[in-house]
Amino acid sequence: MTYLLVKTLHVLSSVVLVGTGFGTAFHLYFANRSGSREAIAVVSRLAVKADWYFTTPAVIVQPLTGAAMMHMAGWPIGSRWLLLSIALYLLAGACWLPVVVYQIRMAKLAESSGSGGAELPSRYWTLARRWEWLGYPAFTAMLVVFFLMVAKPA
């Protein structure tokens, strides 16, 4: 595989990773604020699917292509920008793993709460708050990783 192909896969998977995360977060955030149990059930179920179909493969491709580019380009692992990128990627992952669990639980709670305007249980809203608060450091970390990926500062 050529460096250009590996870099293209790396950039595309980073866009899929952050784009899917931002898109699902946007929709679930506003579905939650709509108060519509039906909308929340649909969006939370689709957020879980998006994580399985798009985010998870991108999470796997990112370190593989990153390691391949480091090797091909001869970048030392001790480079500050690489170390910071890896640390921030791991921070985002540490936030993302519980978010996935919360999304699955939220989807099940929304689905099982019934139709016809039934109220969501308070447990749903506790998970939704945790889900939201973990999203802020994860997205901030990934935005900095994007900058580091592009700028590669000394």
Side-chain angles (χ1 to χ4, degrees), residues 111-123:
E111 193 66 36
S112 68
S113 70
S115 59
E119 291 290 319
L120 288 167
S122 63
R123 180 73 181 140

Side-chain angles (χ1 to χ4, degrees), residues 5 11 15 23-24 28-29 31 44 73 88 106 113 122 130 145-146 153:
L5 179 59
V11 170
V15 170
T24 57
L28 189 51
Y29 176 88
S44 61
L88 289 169
M106 290 162 63
S113 70
S122 63
R130 292 177 185 169
V145 169
F146 263 115

Side-chain angles (χ1 to χ4, degrees), residues 122-137:
S122 63
R123 180 73 181 140
Y124 178 90
W125 299 111
T126 299
L127 293 169
R129 278 189 301 278
R130 292 177 185 169
W131 169 86
E132 183 177 333
W133 281 103
L134 283 170
Y136 296 125

Side-chain angles (χ1 to χ4, degrees), residues 30-53:
F30 284 105
N32 283 340
R33 273 138 187 85
S34 76
S36 167
R37 201 239 18 111
E38 290 83 5
I40 292 168
V42 169
V43 172
S44 61
R45 185 177 65 248
L46 291 174
V48 171
K49 285 183 180 186
D51 267 342
W52 286 120
Y53 300 159

Side-chain angles (χ1 to χ4, degrees), residues 38-150:
E38 290 83 5
I40 292 168
V42 169
V43 172
S44 61
R45 185 177 65 248
L46 291 174
V48 171
K49 285 183 180 186
D51 267 342
W52 286 120
Y53 300 159
F54 303 109
T55 309
T56 300
V59 164
I60 294 166
V61 169
Q62 278 290 281
L64 296 175
T65 55
M69 286 191 311
M70 282 174 32
H71 175 73
M72 294 168 117
W75 295 321
I77 187 84
S79 301
R80 284 183 169 207
W81 72 272
L82 276 173
L83 289 174
L84 184 55
S85 294
I86 293 166
L88 289 169
Y89 185 79
L90 292 172
L91 170 66
C95 293
W96 177 69
L97 288 173
V99 159
V100 171
V101 173
Y102 295 158
Q103 284 178 171
I104 292 168
R105 290 178 183 165
M106 290 162 63
K108 287 179 181 176
L109 287 169
E111 193 66 36
S112 68
S113 70
S115 59
E119 291 290 319
L120 288 167
S122 63
R123 180 73 181 140
Y124 178 90
W125 299 111
T126 299
L127 293 169
R129 278 189 301 278
R130 292 177 185 169
W131 169 86
E132 183 177 333
W133 281 103
L134 283 170
Y136 296 125
F139 281 120
T140 302
M142 289 309 295
L143 289 176
V144 175
V145 169
F146 263 115
F147 168 78
L148 295 169
M149 184 172 66
V150 172

